[in-house]
Every structure is written in C-alpha cells, then in structure tokens.
Amino acid sequence: MRVSLRGRQGGRRVDLALGLLLAAGVLTGTAANTIGVNWPLDLIQLHAAAALAILLLAPWKYVVIRRGLRRTRRRRATKALSLTLAAFVLITIGSGLLHSTGRVEFVGPLTLMQIHVGAAIGALLALTAHFLGHAVRPRRTDADRRALLRLGVLGGAAAVATVAWDAGAVATGRRFSGSIAKPSLEVTSWFDDGVQRIDPAGWTLRVGAATFDLDAIRALPHERFTAILDCTSGWYSSQDWDGVRLSTLIAAAGLPAEGWRSLEVRSTTGYARWFGAGATGDVWLVTAVAGLPLSYGHGFPARIVAPGRRGFWWVKWVASVEPSQRPPWAQSIFPLS
C-alpha cells in the first residue's frame, strides 16, 4: 500500500487523530474496567474500535516516524521517545486484542491484562513527554470538510473492523467489561495483599462499638443469592453466596440509622473501601460460596460481596465495618491502599 502525506500538515493531522484516539481508548478502557453495570453505550466495543482505528492509522504514522528519524538534527532522545511510544501503543493494543480471544491468559508470570494496563500507563507517560517536547496544537484548518470526511471514513472502517473482530476472534461469553467467563473463582487480591490465613477461633469483626465472633456472624439472618464477581484482572464468575446484608449487620450492632455518610469496610491487610449509606441493603458480608465456607484465598472468615461493582470493591478478610463521615465518592476510582 502506498501512503503519502502532504508535508507537515498531514503529519500534524495524523498526530492529532492519534492523540484523540489514544484519549478515547484511555477513557473507555478506564470506564469499562471500573464500572460494574452495563451502560447503554458498549464501552468495551468503543474501546476496541479506538484501538483498531489506531492500527488503521499505523501506515500513515509510520511515514511520519520514518521522516522524523531521517532528520539528522533531531536529537537521539527525541527519536528514542518516539519509538518507545510506538512500542508501548502496539503492546497495549496487541495484548488487549489477544486477551479478547480468551485463548491466552498469561505471558510468563504476568497476565495479559497486567501487560495491557502496564503498557497503557507507559504509553501515557511517553505521550505526555512527547507532547511537552513537541506540542501539536489544533488549527481551524484541521477541521475542514476534507479532514472531517477522512475522520468519518476512519470511524466507519474502525466500526467494520470491530464487528469483524468480534465475529471472528472474540471469545464467547465476554462480558460488557471485557472480562472472560470462568466456571470457578480465581484467587486474586489487590496489589501485594497476600492470602491471609486467619484462625477462626481468634477472629472478630468490629462494627461500631459492637464486636462479633464468627459464630455470632453466622447466627445473623443469612440469605443465599447469586452474584457475578467481575475481576479487573480480566475474568468473571457467577456464584451462589451465603451472607448477611450490611443493613442487617449494622442494625444488629445497634448503629444509628443517621449521622454518618458511609461505611468503611476494612480488611486485616489494611485495604478499605467506603460504601454509601444508601447501598447497605445491596452489599453483603458473606461467609460461604457455592454452599461451602469461604477458603482462605477467597476471604475466609468473611468477605464483602457487592453486586454490580467490580471485584476491587469486594473486600476480603474483613476486620471492621465502621460508620464514617467520608462521602463514598471521596475515594480513588481504583484503590491505592
């Protein structure tokens, strides 16, 4: 295929289009990996379309990169940064597309999703450094009729490519978040939290001023329900759980119904999430899954199950449930501790 660009104007437009596509990829990917419920817009489809559009622009970007590398006056550091950015982008897209097939999960000790997210962060850092050194500012002429027509053609081609990829390569059972179905739960934890092996005889749960041991928790009104654990590492599993609603738990502890804005649920590892006061009827403290007590790896003696929220909300090895004045929105999208 012969690719031509009309001087720096064409190169600038390619860079602007790639910048917009990268931003769209980051936003849709972050949203799809964070939101636990399906939106009217299929975010993972938009995420895939942005990635495939970048691949469709790759021949034009190759011309821009090759032209830049031929400039003898260009500093070696700048050339290296351009190549690093290109490598990160290709690894990000390649790992994401390969994950969607459901045929490969690990590359060495890393999962494809770890590679995908890590390369995306690297690409963002390289893109920021590249922009600071060579800012590409939009101009009025960039939005002329011909440029908009080309963007429309690119969008249509990306949509066709996305439909074709989904039909021919994407694993059946993929969820709207991009996660692949698993018949059973896998043992995962946030960052470096190791599996806690807690002695049930010595475990207690603090709920406000009250303290419950495991027998007391099991004596509370339990219900069996089905919920999907959708893990940000790229898999999901539907299981039957046995547990007590947080609303029932705090009532048994004698906590007042008002005077607090959220419940802080904290693990023995120090990991914590805050649930709004209105969510306590839909969040559960569970002690069993699939009719059996939780294993150590799945949060024994008790863990949180929060239907409609991604797996990082499902705090394991719960040690305390405390009322807090902190609003539930005042926490990071992804937990940092």
Side-chain angles (χ1 to χ4, degrees), residues 279-315:
T280 59
D282 298 317
V283 179
W284 309 71
L285 182 78
V286 305
T287 56
V289 59
L292 298 172
L294 295 171
S295 67
Y296 288 117
H298 292 140
F300 179 83
R303 72 172 299 166
I304 290 296
V305 168
R309 299 176 190 249
R310 296 304 297 274
F312 60 82
W313 287 90
W314 296 38
V315 182

Coordinates of all heavy atoms in Angstrom, one line a residue, residues 279-315:
A279 N -26.4 2.2 50.1 CA -26.1 1.0 49.5 C -26.1 -0.2 50.4 O -25.8 -1.4 50.0 CB -24.7 1.1 48.9
T280 N -26.3 0.0 51.7 CA -26.1 -1.1 52.7 C -27.1 -2.2 52.5 O -26.8 -3.4 53.0 CB -26.3 -0.5 54.1 OG1 -27.6 0.1 54.3 CG2 -25.2 0.5 54.4
G281 N -28.2 -2.0 51.8 CA -29.2 -3.1 51.6 C -28.8 -4.0 50.4 O -29.3 -5.1 50.2
D282 N -27.8 -3.5 49.6 CA -27.4 -4.3 48.4 C -25.9 -4.7 48.5 O -25.4 -5.2 47.5 CB -27.6 -3.4 47.2 CG -29.0 -3.0 47.0 OD1 -29.9 -3.8 47.1 OD2 -29.3 -1.8 46.7
V283 N -25.3 -4.6 49.7 CA -24.0 -5.1 49.9 C -24.0 -6.1 51.0 O -24.7 -5.9 52.0 CB -23.0 -3.9 50.2 CG1 -21.6 -4.4 50.5 CG2 -23.0 -2.8 49.1
W284 N -23.2 -7.2 50.9 CA -23.3 -8.3 51.7 C -22.0 -8.6 52.4 O -20.9 -8.5 51.8 CB -23.8 -9.5 51.0 CG -25.0 -9.3 50.1 CD1 -25.1 -8.6 49.0 CD2 -26.3 -9.8 50.4 NE1 -26.4 -8.6 48.5 CE2 -27.2 -9.4 49.3 CE3 -26.9 -10.7 51.3 CZ2 -28.5 -9.7 49.2 CZ3 -28.2 -11.0 51.2 CH2 -29.0 -10.6 50.2
L285 N -22.1 -9.1 53.6 CA -21.0 -9.8 54.3 C -21.2 -11.3 54.2 O -22.2 -11.8 54.8 CB -20.8 -9.3 55.7 CG -19.7 -9.9 56.5 CD1 -18.4 -9.2 56.1 CD2 -19.9 -9.9 58.0
V286 N -20.4 -12.0 53.4 CA -20.7 -13.4 53.2 C -19.7 -14.3 53.9 O -18.5 -13.9 54.1 CB -20.7 -13.7 51.7 CG1 -21.6 -12.8 50.9 CG2 -19.3 -13.6 51.1
T287 N -20.1 -15.5 54.2 CA -19.2 -16.5 54.9 C -19.1 -17.8 54.1 O -18.3 -18.6 54.4 CB -19.8 -16.8 56.3 OG1 -21.2 -17.3 56.1 CG2 -19.8 -15.6 57.2
A288 N -19.9 -17.9 53.0 CA -19.8 -19.1 52.2 C -20.1 -18.8 50.7 O -20.8 -17.9 50.4 CB -20.9 -20.1 52.7
V289 N -19.6 -19.7 49.9 CA -19.8 -19.6 48.4 C -20.0 -21.0 47.9 O -19.3 -22.0 48.3 CB -18.6 -18.9 47.7 CG1 -17.3 -19.7 47.9 CG2 -18.9 -18.8 46.2
A290 N -21.0 -21.2 47.0 CA -21.3 -22.5 46.4 C -21.6 -23.5 47.5 O -21.3 -24.7 47.4 CB -20.2 -23.0 45.5
G291 N -22.2 -23.0 48.6 CA -22.6 -23.9 49.7 C -21.5 -24.4 50.6 O -21.8 -25.2 51.5
L292 N -20.3 -23.8 50.4 CA -19.2 -24.2 51.3 C -18.6 -23.0 51.9 O -18.7 -21.9 51.4 CB -18.1 -24.9 50.4 CG -18.5 -26.2 49.8 CD1 -17.4 -26.7 48.8 CD2 -18.8 -27.3 50.8
P293 N -18.0 -23.1 53.1 CA -17.3 -22.0 53.8 C -16.3 -21.4 52.8 O -15.7 -22.1 52.0 CB -16.7 -22.6 55.0 CG -17.5 -23.8 55.3 CD -17.9 -24.3 54.0
L294 N -16.1 -20.1 52.9 CA -15.0 -19.5 52.1 C -13.7 -20.1 52.4 O -13.4 -20.5 53.5 CB -14.9 -18.0 52.5 CG -16.1 -17.1 52.1 CD1 -15.9 -15.7 52.8 CD2 -16.3 -17.0 50.6
S295 N -12.8 -20.2 51.3 CA -11.5 -20.6 51.5 C -10.6 -19.4 52.0 O -11.1 -18.2 51.9 CB -10.9 -21.2 50.2 OG -10.8 -20.2 49.2
Y296 N -9.4 -19.6 52.4 CA -8.5 -18.5 52.8 C -8.3 -17.6 51.6 O -8.4 -16.4 51.8 CB -7.2 -19.1 53.2 CG -7.2 -19.8 54.6 CD1 -6.9 -21.1 54.7 CD2 -7.5 -19.1 55.8 CE1 -6.9 -21.7 55.9 CE2 -7.6 -19.7 57.0 CZ -7.2 -21.0 57.1 OH -7.3 -21.7 58.3
G297 N -8.1 -18.1 50.4 CA -7.8 -17.3 49.3 C -9.0 -16.5 48.8 O -8.9 -15.4 48.2
H298 N -10.2 -16.9 49.2 CA -11.4 -16.2 48.8 C -12.0 -15.3 50.0 O -13.1 -14.8 49.9 CB -12.5 -17.1 48.3 CG -12.1 -17.8 47.0 ND1 -12.3 -19.1 46.7 CD2 -11.5 -17.3 45.9 CE1 -11.9 -19.4 45.5 NE2 -11.3 -18.3 45.0
G299 N -11.2 -15.1 51.1 CA -11.6 -14.2 52.1 C -12.0 -14.7 53.4 O -12.6 -13.9 54.2
F300 N -11.8 -16.0 53.7 CA -12.2 -16.5 55.0 C -11.6 -15.7 56.1 O -10.5 -15.3 56.0 CB -11.8 -18.0 55.1 CG -12.1 -18.7 56.4 CD1 -13.3 -19.2 56.6 CD2 -11.1 -18.7 57.4 CE1 -13.6 -19.9 57.8 CE2 -11.4 -19.3 58.6 CZ -12.7 -19.9 58.8
P301 N -12.4 -15.4 57.2 CA -13.7 -16.0 57.5 C -14.9 -15.2 56.8 O -16.0 -15.8 56.7 CB -13.8 -15.7 59.0 CG -12.4 -15.4 59.5 CD -11.8 -14.7 58.3
A302 N -14.7 -14.0 56.5 CA -15.9 -13.2 55.9 C -15.3 -12.2 54.9 O -14.3 -11.6 55.1 CB -16.7 -12.5 57.0
R303 N -16.1 -12.0 53.8 CA -15.7 -11.0 52.8 C -16.9 -10.2 52.4 O -18.1 -10.6 52.7 CB -15.1 -11.7 51.6 CG -16.1 -12.5 50.8 CD -15.5 -13.0 49.5 NE -15.1 -11.9 48.6 CZ -14.3 -12.1 47.6 NH1 -13.9 -13.3 47.3 NH2 -13.9 -11.1 46.8
I304 N -16.7 -9.2 51.6 CA -17.8 -8.4 51.1 C -18.1 -8.9 49.7 O -17.3 -9.3 48.9 CB -17.4 -6.9 50.9 CG1 -17.3 -6.3 52.3 CG2 -18.3 -6.1 50.1 CD1 -18.6 -6.2 53.1
V305 N -19.4 -9.0 49.4 CA -19.9 -9.2 48.0 C -20.8 -8.0 47.7 O -21.8 -7.7 48.4 CB -20.7 -10.5 47.9 CG1 -21.5 -10.6 46.6 CG2 -19.8 -11.7 48.0
A306 N -20.4 -7.3 46.6 CA -21.1 -6.1 46.2 C -21.6 -6.2 44.8 O -20.9 -5.8 43.8 CB -20.2 -4.9 46.4
P307 N -22.8 -6.8 44.5 CA -23.3 -7.0 43.2 C -23.3 -5.7 42.4 O -23.7 -4.6 43.0 CB -24.7 -7.5 43.4 CG -24.6 -8.2 44.8 CD -23.7 -7.3 45.6
G308 N -22.9 -5.7 41.2 CA -22.9 -4.5 40.3 C -21.7 -3.7 40.5 O -21.6 -2.6 39.8
R309 N -20.7 -4.1 41.3 CA -19.5 -3.4 41.4 C -18.3 -4.3 41.1 O -18.4 -5.5 41.3 CB -19.3 -2.9 42.9 CG -20.3 -1.9 43.3 CD -20.1 -1.5 44.8 NE -21.2 -0.8 45.3 CZ -21.2 0.5 45.6 NH1 -20.1 1.2 45.5 NH2 -22.3 1.2 46.1
R310 N -17.2 -3.7 40.5 CA -16.1 -4.6 40.1 C -15.4 -5.2 41.3 O -15.6 -4.8 42.5 CB -15.1 -3.7 39.4 CG -15.6 -3.2 38.1 CD -16.1 -4.2 37.1 NE -15.1 -5.2 36.7 CZ -14.3 -5.0 35.7 NH1 -14.4 -3.9 34.9 NH2 -13.4 -5.9 35.3
G311 N -14.6 -6.2 41.1 CA -14.0 -7.0 42.1 C -13.3 -6.3 43.2 O -13.2 -6.8 44.3
F312 N -12.7 -5.1 42.9 CA -11.9 -4.5 43.9 C -12.7 -3.9 45.0 O -12.2 -3.4 46.0 CB -10.9 -3.4 43.3 CG -11.6 -2.3 42.5 CD1 -12.2 -1.2 43.2 CD2 -11.7 -2.4 41.2 CE1 -12.8 -0.2 42.5 CE2 -12.3 -1.3 40.5 CZ -12.9 -0.2 41.1
W313 N -14.0 -3.9 44.8 CA -14.9 -3.4 45.9 C -15.2 -4.6 46.9 O -15.7 -4.4 48.0 CB -16.2 -3.0 45.4 CG -16.2 -1.6 44.7 CD1 -16.0 -1.4 43.4 CD2 -16.4 -0.4 45.3 NE1 -16.0 0.0 43.1 CE2 -16.3 0.6 44.3 CE3 -16.7 0.1 46.6 CZ2 -16.5 2.0 44.5 CZ3 -16.9 1.4 46.8 CH2 -16.8 2.3 45.8
W314 N -14.9 -5.8 46.5 CA -15.3 -7.0 47.3 C -14.2 -7.3 48.3 O -13.4 -8.2 48.2 CB -15.5 -8.2 46.4 CG -16.6 -8.0 45.4 CD1 -17.0 -6.9 44.7 CD2 -17.5 -9.0 44.9 NE1 -18.1 -7.1 43.9 CE2 -18.4 -8.4 44.0 CE3 -17.6 -10.4 45.2 CZ2 -19.4 -9.1 43.3 CZ3 -18.6 -11.1 44.5 CH2 -19.5 -10.5 43.6
V315 N -14.1 -6.5 49.3 CA -13.1 -6.6 50.3 C -13.0 -8.0 51.0 O -14.0 -8.5 51.4 CB -13.3 -5.5 51.4 CG1 -12.1 -5.6 52.4 CG2 -13.4 -4.1 50.8

